Amino acid sequence: MGKERILLEDRSPVCDIQAFVEDNGECIYFYLWVHPGSGHAEIRNCWVCNTVPGTEDMDHAAMKSGRAPRMPLPFVAHEPEGIRLDEGELSLVWFEEGDGAALYEGERLIAVIPGWSGPDFSGYSIYAKGMGPFAWGLSDALDVLKARLDRCRTYWDVMNGDYFGEMQQEQLAAMEAFFGPYKKYYAIDREEFPPKALVTGGKDGNLYAFTLGNGALAQPKIEGYYQEEAYRYRRIEFGAAFPAGCSQEGVMAVLNYMAAQSSLPWKEISWLGHGHTIPCGVVPGYEAVLLLDPAQCRVRPGPAFSGFMGEPVNLLWMMLLTGDEYRMAKEGGGESLLERKGDDPASWNLV
């Protein structure tokens, strides 16, 4: 007790997650602290190695005293007397989604807490073997995870560079090919990473608005739904349309709402996609929005956004819903709403 020492600390570039590596004098653990300090905080932990001799059985004494337990020797792949890590060589690489991270010692990958870790799976350690109680062996998954993390290194190198200038020009060109010269460009990132904007333009008497720059980010948790196809759906931009006659106040309320929702997947560590609904009470008479991907239904398409890092950037149109429509959408009635409201986004949102 009282020997705990933090070896490394970091924060996710996009999610509310703090990472740290701790040596408690008997073993080393890698932690991800999700929503730290909040009422719904969660700690995900992964054993890395024992630093003193281990035992054959569970370390009940440590658990009873509130200390992180040593891994039982049947699941330990290093010397039974324990090992030490080179603190000065430790570093982290975050997954593209920002909800998982990997621990390296020099160039060697030694532990991983992926975004899909949970109560029944802590993470991987190169010093674990089999399906240990506090970490699974990394060796069997090493090739797949190493390739993925090599891409993550490249991704964050791109994101820490000047990628936005090129993306901004490509997305503005796609929007102007759709509605002509844009009318307004609103920065919505509050000068925080990553840079994002909301752009408006007019076409056929209607007003259109699209987010810009959001598609550089990969959404968390979507892999649990789409598995190997997640790369097709994890990058999104929002779009909304307003027919002539809408009030300036109503339009601006929806635009502010769009700007706020652009951060939702990383704020909540979740994902948004076709058919999802989000509560929305910014305009009287409406309670939610329905998100519709024109590639997955018969809604009219919007700008043809270029991909990012070899992955498509998908448009999600926002359809405002009344209370009755919201209930219908939650019950799986998205197609019925399209039958009622038509396939033209410019006819949906009278605010």
Side-chain angles (χ1 to χ4, degrees):
M1 293 290 287
K3 295 181 180 179
E4 291 85 359
R5 190 164 63 89
I6 301 299
L7 306 182
L8 180 67
E9 285 187 275
D10 199 7
R11 292 194 72 90
S12 168
V14 289
C15 295
D16 186 19
I17 300 177
Q18 181 180 353
F20 59 99
V21 180
E22 182 182 77
D23 182 347
N24 71 358
E26 297 180 343
C27 51
I28 294 174
Y29 271 76
F30 175 26
Y31 296 95
L32 294 184
W33 189 8
V34 183
H35 302 303
S38 73
H40 55 288
E42 164 197 357
I43 291 187
R44 292 151 55 192
N45 59 78
C46 178
W47 174 89
V48 180
C49 64
N50 293 339
T51 58
V52 299
T55 60
E56 289 293 326
D57 299 322
M58 294 285 283
D59 192 355
H60 294 293
M63 291 187 283
K64 286 180 180 178
S65 65
R67 303 194 315 277
R70 289 166 288 171
M71 180 74 86
L73 285 176
F75 300 102
V76 173
H78 61 62
E79 295 79 359
E81 62 269 21
I83 61 171
R84 289 285 174 182
L85 302 181
D86 186 340
E87 181 178 351
E89 288 291 304
L90 298 180
S91 64
L92 291 182
V93 173
W94 289 92
F95 278 60
E96 290 181 70
E97 300 88 346
D99 64 339
L103 177 65
Y104 284 78
E105 185 180 27
E107 293 301 313
R108 189 179 187 219
L109 176 62
I110 60 172
V112 181
I113 303 179
W116 58 87
S117 66
D120 299 321
F121 167 63
S122 298
Y124 300 98
S125 170
I126 198 69
Y127 298 116
K129 61 183 178 182
M131 297 169 63
F134 312 122
W136 290 6
L138 176 59
S139 297
D140 290 344
L142 186 60
D143 289 344
V144 172
L145 285 171
K146 188 177 183 305
R148 179 167 183 167
L149 287 160
D150 286 345
R151 176 186 161 90
C152 293
R153 284 183 186 272
T154 300
Y155 173 74
W156 290 116
D157 285 344
V158 170
M159 294 298 285
N160 290 325
D162 57 359
Y163 79 92
F164 184 68
E166 180 178 353
M167 187 177 196
Q168 179 188 53
Q169 293 307 309
E170 287 179 349
Q171 291 200 328
L172 283 175
M175 292 181 202
E176 293 193 323
F178 175 75
F179 54 40
Y182 71 86
K183 291 185 175 181
K184 297 284 186 179
Y185 181 102
Y186 303 97
I188 60 173
D189 51 45
R190 300 181 180 179
E191 299 185 347
E192 297 176 354
F193 179 85
K196 295 187 292 184
L198 193 149
V199 182
T200 66
K203 179 181 179 181
D204 300 328
N206 306 310
L207 179 70
Y208 292 85
F210 302 100
T211 56
L212 180 154
N214 220 57
L217 300 182
Q219 295 188 93
K221 304 298 183 187
I222 194 168
E223 200 166 6
Y225 187 84
Y226 285 109
Q227 285 83 45
E228 293 82 3
E229 296 293 301
Y231 74 94
R232 297 182 181 273
Y233 306 103
R234 63 182 187 161
R235 303 184 187 278
I236 59 170
E237 300 290 355
F238 289 133
F242 309 91
C246 289
S247 69
Q248 180 69 12
E249 293 79 9
V251 169
M252 289 308 300
V254 175
L255 297 190
N256 287 331
Y257 173 81
M258 285 179 66
Q261 302 319 299
S262 69
S263 300
L264 185 65
W266 300 273
K267 180 180 177 181
E268 298 297 329
I269 312 181
S270 186
W271 65 282
L272 294 170
H274 175 70
H276 286 191
T277 56
I278 319 173
C280 175
V282 300
V283 179
Y286 295 106
E287 294 187 8
V289 297
L290 173 65
L291 303 176
L292 295 169
D293 181 348
Q296 298 187 62
C297 64
R298 55 182 182 81
V299 173
R300 294 186 189 179
F305 292 122
S306 299
F308 188 80
M309 292 285 292
E311 297 181 355
V313 174
N314 302 287
L315 174 65
L316 294 177
W317 286 111
M318 286 186 166
M319 175 193 286
L320 285 168
L321 304 177
T322 65
D324 287 342
E325 290 168 343
Y326 187 20
R327 286 183 283 276
M328 182 184 298
K330 288 193 291 184
E331 293 168 0
E335 288 299 321
S336 297
L337 288 172
L338 282 175
E339 291 287 341
R340 177 192 298 185
K341 304 186 80 165
D343 65 356
D344 183 1
S347 69
W348 298 341
N349 305 322
L350 185 59
V351 295

